Every structure is written in structure tokens, then in C-alpha cells.
Amino acid sequence: MKKSLLYPFLIVSLSFLLGACSEPKKETTVSKKEEVNEANEKGATESNVTPTAEWSYEEETGPEHWGELDSAYAACMKGNEQSPINIEPSLEETSETKLENIEFQYEPTQFSIVNTGHTVQANPATSSNSIVVEGIEYKLAQFHFHTPSEHQFNGQQMDMELHLVHQDANGELAVLGLLIQAGKKNEQLASIWSRLPKSETKSDIAIEEPVDLQALLPSNQTSFYYNGSLTTPPCTEKVKWIVFEEPIEMSKEQIQAFQQIFHNNQRPVQPVNGREIIKEIAQ
Ligand SMILES: [Zn+2]
């Protein structure tokens, strides 16, 4: 191939690859880090070069049909360790060993936000936030929201749920689930809420004020560990879930502001299929 032809060819291939790693409608100019979202994380690390099908939370492209929309989404239908689930705290095995407790290494951090068309997602400007689970460090990749909550306790749904998505050096995911109930205004999230993008964004919106995730966590850190999946296509499994029992609060106005953008972006609970759910009592 002549040199003059090679350059345009490389640009075309590069934009194709970048486009294929992210959701189909996403801009191809986003950085690698911004592409790390719950829906496409695994696709971005495996060499998935085929754009995947559009999905939604309603009707023909809703959760009941995800597995049929694209062969890449087969786990949504055929997987047997899917998320979210209903947790029944009284039935779960308890583990009171301090050793297993999750370690949070969060600090005030600048974020930018995007409306992906499926949720509002916040991307950290640095990789300084992480958690340590069973001795393995997982760095925060992004966080995003669902309404109503995806996980349930004793069959009860809450108003919203926050997912903090972390990734270790091998690309394995650990997601922290925080249920949200109506109550006090959440000051930690106020700066993000003041800029909530009402429709799908083409580029990130920088949030001036740093967000301190440490201050966002509930005071009682008793949580439930189980092995599950992404709750959005491609529903990839081997995701380590940590769901806090105590909900955090947001004001009714904050919850409604999100619900005006996404009135329902929740996947229904999936069968537990005998999975071990471990209750970790905070010491
Ligand atoms: Zn999520």
C-alpha cells in the first residue's frame, strides 16, 4: 500500500475500533477512560469490533428481550449468575471477620458527567479512588444511577441506586451498590445534580466542585457480597458485587430531577440460583 493511502486508512480503522468499543451512538473522540461504563466495560477490553444492538428498558428492546437482541448479549438470557437480585438479610450467611472488610481509599476528586442515553454517569478525572476487596485493589472507573433501585431487600425496592464501578489490574470488576431513599438533600451529589444533562450528551460536562465519595457512604457499612453480572447488556458475569444494607439519602426533589430524565432504568431482579450471598458485618 502506498504511503499516501495508508494514513487515511489508519484513521478510518482507528475510528472504527474506537467506535466499536463504545456504545454505538457514542462519539468516537471520547477517551479510553470515559468508555469504561457498566454496559461496555468488558466489550472494551475484549477485542469486540462489532457494534452491538440498541437496547432500552421498554418493550421490544427492554430487559426481557436483551438476550435476543444481539449474540453478544447472550449472557442476559443464558447466564445463571445475573444481577440484580433480591437479598433476604435474615437468610444470608454472616461473616464477622474483620479481615474480609472492604477498604475504601476515596478522596475528594473532580468528575465530569455524561448522559449515556441509559443513565447519568460520572467519570473521575484521576485514578486516585480505589477499594481493596480480599487483598485486591480495584480502581474506580465511573459511577452512575438507576431508578428505581435494582437490588431489593426482602422484595422491597428503593427510589434509586448508585453503582460505583471499580476495575482491577486484570480488568475484573467490583461494583458497590448503594440504595437511595428519599430524605435529606444529598450535599455530596448536589454539584452533579446542578448540571444533570437532560438528554444524551456528546461530550463530558466538567463538574467544578470535587466530590468526596467517602462522605457519601452510609455510616453503617454492613454489606452483602455475591458474584453477579453487569445489570445492562452485555450482562457479563464474574462481577463482584458489594451491596450496602443501609441506604443513603437524597431529597425528593433530587430524586424527581433524575426521574424526569429517566423514569425507569432498572433491570428486574434475577434468579439467585443457589449463589452464596455473604453478609459482612461492619466492625
Ligand atoms: Zn448500574
Side-chain angles (χ1 to χ4, degrees):
M1 198 180 296
K2 274 194 242 162
K3 234 184 191 163
S4 56
L5 286 174
L6 187 62
Y7 187 58
F9 172 75
L10 280 174
I11 292 177
V12 169
S13 334
L14 188 63
S15 20
F16 174 72
L17 279 171
L18 283 171
C21 293
S22 55
E23 289 179 275
K25 278 157 76 186
K26 232 171 170 180
E27 284 285 293
T28 56
T29 50
V30 291
S31 74
K32 182 82 181 150
K33 186 170 48 179
E34 288 156 17
E35 288 177 359
V36 177
N37 72 40
E38 186 175 339
N40 63 26
E41 169 51 34
K42 290 283 167 164
T45 51
E46 290 156 14
S47 55
N48 173 8
V49 290
T50 318
T52 43
E54 289 290 329
W55 55 272
S56 76
Y57 289 96
E58 291 173 333
E59 300 169 13
E60 307 90 70
T61 54
E64 280 69 39
H65 302 285
W66 287 350
E68 308 151 12
L69 297 175
D70 196 305
S71 57
Y73 303 166
C76 302
M77 186 164 55
K78 296 190 179 138
N80 50 28
E81 293 200 333
Q82 290 287 295
S83 293
I85 57 167
N86 173 38
I87 298 168
E88 299 190 316
S90 57
L91 302 179
E92 312 314 349
E93 190 187 321
T94 59
S95 141
E96 300 198 28
T97 51
K98 176 78 176 163
L99 275 178
E100 295 282 316
N101 273 6
I102 182 170
E103 205 180 298
F104 300 96
Q105 296 167 349
Y106 287 156
E107 55 184 58
T109 302
Q110 221 111 42
F111 285 86
S112 58
I113 56 173
V114 284
N115 176 330
T116 65
H118 297 127
T119 188
V120 172
Q121 181 181 314
N123 300 311
T126 64
S127 57
S128 51
N129 291 287
S130 61
I131 56 173
V132 179
V133 185
E134 293 166 327
I136 299 168
E137 185 187 33
Y138 296 79
K139 287 191 177 295
L140 180 76
Q142 50 100 336
F143 65 85
H144 63 266
F145 300 86
H146 298 270
T147 188
S149 74
E150 296 205 301
H151 285 92
Q152 299 179 7
F153 282 107
N154 295 318
Q156 293 281 106
Q157 239 167 4
M158 295 257 175
D159 296 309
M160 286 183 67
E161 185 166 337
L162 162 61
H163 288 160
L164 295 148
V165 183
H166 306 77
Q167 189 174 37
D168 78 0
N170 299 318
E172 299 293 323
L173 299 180
V175 186
L176 219 62
L178 294 172
L179 300 175
I180 302 173
Q181 68 179 5
K184 288 193 305 285
K185 181 182 175 188
N186 193 308
E187 297 294 345
Q188 297 309 319
L189 296 172
S191 57
I192 291 178
W193 249 244
S194 69
R195 307 287 309 272
L196 276 187
K198 294 191 171 50
S199 52
E200 200 172 335
T201 43
K202 297 244 184 326
S203 52
D204 282 31
I205 300 164
I207 303 296
E208 300 280 306
E209 228 177 288
V211 178
D212 184 3
L213 293 173
Q214 192 69 42
L216 200 61
L217 302 176
S219 51
N220 181 342
Q221 297 184 351
T222 292
S223 53
F224 293 86
Y225 287 56
Y226 77 95
N227 290 322
S229 72
L230 301 180
T231 67
T232 55
C235 308
T236 313
E237 296 190 335
K238 294 201 168 67
V239 174
K240 199 177 273 290
W241 275 94
I242 301 130
V243 185
F244 281 106
E245 186 171 34
E246 185 184 317
I248 61 167
E249 293 185 355
M250 293 191 86
S251 68
K252 234 178 216 153
E253 291 72 27
Q254 286 178 313
I255 292 167
Q256 282 166 357
F258 185 85
Q259 289 173 336
Q260 272 163 16
I261 305 172
F262 299 100
H263 79 242
N264 181 336
N265 63 343
Q266 161 253 356
R267 184 188 197 194
V269 290
Q270 304 295 306
V272 173
N273 292 331
R275 269 176 284 176
E276 191 178 33
I277 302 163
I278 299 174
K279 182 175 186 173
E280 189 70 44
I281 297 170
Q283 312 272 306

